[in-house]
Amino acid sequence: MNSFEQNIEKYADLAVRTGVNLQQGQTLVIRAPIEAVTLVRVLAEKAYDAGAKHVHVDWSDDELSLIKYRKAPEEAFMEYPAWKAKGFEELAAGGAAFLTIYAPTPGLLKDINPERIATEAKTTAVALEKYRNYTKSDGVSWSIIAYPTEAWANKVFPDQPVTQAIESLWDVIFKVTRIYEHDPIAAWNEHNAKLADIVAYLNNKQYKQLIYEMNETKLSVDLPKQHVWKGGASRTQQGIVFNPNLPTEEVYTMPHIDGINGVVHSTKPLNYGGNLIDHFSLVFENGKVVDFSAETGYETLQHLLEMDEGARHLGEVALVPYRSPISLSNLIFYNTLFDENASCHFALGQCYPTNISGGTSMTDEELTQHGGNKSHIHVDFMMGGAEMNIDGITEDGKREPIFRDGEWALDGL
């Protein structure tokens, strides 16, 4: 076995044992692009070694998706297979773990009518809502990892031959997921512990508001009472510890649906629905986007914001230091799993019920009453940088530093 094969083995083992933390007798569902078949086979072996009962694979293919967008009739985008949605629901209800290999092709759908893309995105979101309720409330263990397809590698390393570009992207993936460490699982335990210290600090503070200032970004974000910061490892409702994202550098919580005011400017491109949105800004009043602009992808951004009422509100605020390993690579990945861990970011759309005390047992109406946002989308976009300053406002009105010049400025940490 050569060194690359050894690293793939370690990567798959990390995904199974730290990512979803597969339990004896549990079913694993892998959602993967067809290009990742070699990795999927290794993942299946590791899963069965860990005691899996079944490994089910849901394959996808960007080229088939493109053919559908080009050739299918309009009504095709208004339907989602009921058997497939029901299948995911039954697997989640039965306690399966879900592992997604995320490797979208940047700009794949640049020549497709954005309305078609928006219609299918909404149709899919509605059909899978019951299944996604399990993941967003940590009713199951789930995790996302990456795989360097040719199209993605060429986008990140456009000046390299495709074979070299793929090797370069694998090298980055292995670095930021700590695969080059002697014991990646132990390294992740240590990393999770550091994030847990920050989470504990912020949860103890219970800031009522965050103030963001960086260049043209000037924004205030209210936080609901009894909000909960999370980051690194999560825990299912059954007590299983898992890592939703590999890699991850963020801590995050829920903003108040009506409490965002000011303007925010993006700092990295957003790959949404196969199209790029870049150099965009959003203006908020009382929590809602009331104006927006984009140098690239304006129409795509417009359709995103028109998905439903909650699409114009925030569901997540996330803090990431500028000098994170992903940021220090000085690469733009055109992949949210990586770019969101190189920059402070927000998410338009659905909040996570786990980000407020008692949220997983609340109805949608109760969650909204407590300041949470309801939407069929959850779309992260990056807005941080080396100049970012963030202050927290305490319940008694005191202003305290959280970030200075893009780095943590927490007292005592």
Side-chain angles (χ1 to χ4, degrees):
M1 184 182 295
N2 61 36
S3 59
F4 177 75
E5 291 172 338
Q6 290 174 339
N7 288 329
I8 289 291
E9 292 271 340
K10 292 167 70 175
Y11 188 49
D13 198 51
L14 179 72
V16 168
R17 297 185 183 275
T18 297
V20 295
N21 190 9
L22 197 71
Q23 303 295 294
Q24 182 74 33
Q26 192 175 18
T27 291
L28 176 64
V29 180
I30 303 175
R31 308 182 72 180
I34 58 173
E35 294 95 332
V37 61
T38 301
L39 174 60
V40 170
R41 289 169 179 159
V42 180
L43 286 164
E45 286 197 12
K46 296 297 181 181
Y48 286 120
D49 288 344
K53 180 172 64 175
H54 299 294
V55 177
H56 298 306
V57 183
D58 179 41
W59 297 105
S60 62
D61 176 41
D62 278 353
E63 290 303 317
L64 281 177
S65 297
L66 182 58
I67 290 170
K68 178 181 178 180
Y69 278 116
R70 285 176 172 167
K71 302 285 188 176
E74 294 297 325
E75 56 266 28
F77 303 103
M78 302 175 187
E79 299 174 353
Y80 188 91
W83 60 266
K84 191 170 187 177
K86 188 66 175 177
F88 282 126
E89 291 170 30
E90 290 179 353
L91 286 163
F98 294 82
L99 178 65
T100 297
I101 300 176
Y102 184 67
T105 301
L108 174 75
L109 306 180
K110 60 183 176 60
D111 297 323
I112 302 299
N113 183 347
E115 191 169 343
R116 282 192 154 210
I117 301 169
T119 298
E120 180 166 70
K122 186 170 184 177
T123 299
T124 302
V126 171
L128 295 179
E129 183 173 14
K130 289 183 179 179
Y131 153 66
R132 287 176 176 169
N133 282 339
Y134 283 94
T135 56
K136 72 184 182 184
S137 63
D138 289 347
V140 295
S141 59
W142 57 278
S143 190
I144 304 174
I145 62 173
Y147 181 89
T149 62
E150 288 187 8
W152 180 28
N154 278 332
K155 187 69 176 180
V156 179
F157 298 101
D159 298 327
Q160 296 182 9
V162 63
T163 301
Q164 184 180 345
I166 290 173
E167 291 177 357
S168 296
L169 192 47
W170 266 127
D171 181 56
V172 174
I173 291 171
F174 290 153
K175 283 178 180 175
V176 300
T177 55
R178 297 169 170 79
I179 296 303
Y180 290 143
E181 300 284 343
H182 173 68
D183 186 344
I185 292 176
W188 270 94
N189 290 339
E190 182 180 350
H191 179 55
N192 283 331
K194 291 178 181 178
L195 291 176
D197 287 342
I198 296 172
V199 165
Y201 179 97
L202 293 172
N203 281 329
N204 182 62
K205 282 291 184 179
Q206 281 292 297
Y207 291 116
K208 68 177 183 179
Q209 188 181 65
L210 303 179
I211 306 295
Y212 290 76
E213 295 180 349
M214 188 184 81
N215 302 330
E216 297 176 290
T217 291
K218 309 288 181 185
L219 198 72
S220 64
V221 177
D222 292 351
L223 303 179
K225 292 183 182 298
Q226 295 187 308
H227 63 271
V228 176
W229 287 91
K230 299 189 73 178
S234 293
R235 187 181 298 271
T236 69
Q237 295 174 27
Q238 296 75 35
I240 298 171
V241 176
F242 68 101
N243 261 83
N245 292 347
L246 296 173
T248 186
E249 303 291 334
E250 67 175 328
V251 300
Y252 62 95
T253 193
M254 173 193 302
H256 195 288
I257 187 173
D258 299 321
I260 299 95
N261 290 279
V263 61
V264 58
H265 287 255
S266 68
T267 53
K268 291 181 181 290
L270 169 60
N271 180 26
Y272 175 71
N275 281 320
L276 291 178
I277 309 170
D278 201 6
H279 299 293
F280 61 94
S281 65
L282 304 172
V283 179
F284 287 88
E285 288 183 8
N286 299 321
K288 185 175 183 178
V289 176
V290 296
D291 195 14
F292 63 94
S293 65
E295 291 184 16
T296 302
Y298 179 90
E299 192 174 357
T300 298
L301 178 58
Q302 181 178 24
H303 282 292
L304 188 162
L305 293 170
E306 292 174 350
M307 180 70 70
D308 54 32
E309 178 60 28
R312 286 182 176 259
H313 296 264
L314 294 182
E316 177 189 336
V317 297
L319 306 181
V320 180
Y322 176 72
R323 294 184 62 80
S324 74
I326 301 172
S327 176
L328 292 177
S329 72
N330 293 316
L331 296 170
I332 297 176
F333 288 94
Y334 306 94
N335 179 310
T336 301
L337 176 62
F338 282 72
D339 287 330
E340 75 169 3
N341 286 297
S343 167
C344 288
H345 56 275
F346 294 132
L348 290 163
Q350 178 68 43
C351 69
Y352 288 113
T354 52
N355 282 136
I356 192 164
S357 181
T360 56
S361 61
M362 293 180 186
T363 64
D364 288 342
E365 292 73 20
E366 290 171 335
L367 193 59
T368 300
Q369 290 170 6
H370 284 79
N373 187 32
K374 168 73 174 175
S375 175
H376 289 305
I377 68 165
H378 180 95
V379 179
D380 297 280
F381 68 92
M382 284 51 75
M383 42 70 67
E387 302 83 17
M388 175 64 77
N389 292 328
I390 305 173
D391 287 338
I393 307 299
T394 63
E395 194 62 40
D396 59 4
K398 185 179 178 182
R399 184 164 176 160
E400 298 178 346
I402 297 177
F403 263 54
R404 285 294 179 269
D405 298 322
E407 299 299 317
W408 290 110
L410 304 178
D411 186 25
L413 286 181

